[in-house]
Amino acid sequence: MYWLFRLHHITPIDVHRMTRRERKVLFAFVRYDLAKRNAEADKQQGEIEEAIENARR
């Protein structure tokens, strides 16, 4: 919920007013977006670790 409010200005009351199907779709999008963001963060972390390792050589 916090993520929706902070990044998309969707308040808890907005979510509460949605139908069950709308909430299901909304949270599927949330899970998808968070998975993509986590994958990107992992990729960047790997690149940073690789750069550090190369700098030590």
Side-chain angles (χ1 to χ4, degrees):
M1 289 291 247
Y2 173 75
W3 182 84
L4 288 171
F5 179 72
R6 185 173 150 262
L7 296 178
H8 301 288
H9 310 290
I10 298 174
T11 65
I13 195 68
D14 293 334
V15 176
H16 177 73
R17 290 179 180 156
M18 291 179 178
T19 66
R20 183 178 296 186
R21 288 181 179 166
E22 289 172 325
R23 281 193 302 269
K24 191 172 185 174
V25 170
L26 176 68
F27 287 118
F29 284 146
V30 167
R31 283 190 299 274
Y32 175 79
D33 192 35
L34 290 176
K36 287 291 194 180
R37 288 172 184 256
N38 286 336
E40 181 64 27
D42 290 344
K43 179 182 172 191
Q44 289 177 350
Q45 183 64 33
E47 291 171 356
I48 290 169
E49 290 172 0
E50 182 179 330
I52 291 170
E53 198 59 39
N54 288 338
R56 289 182 179 164
R57 293 182 194 170

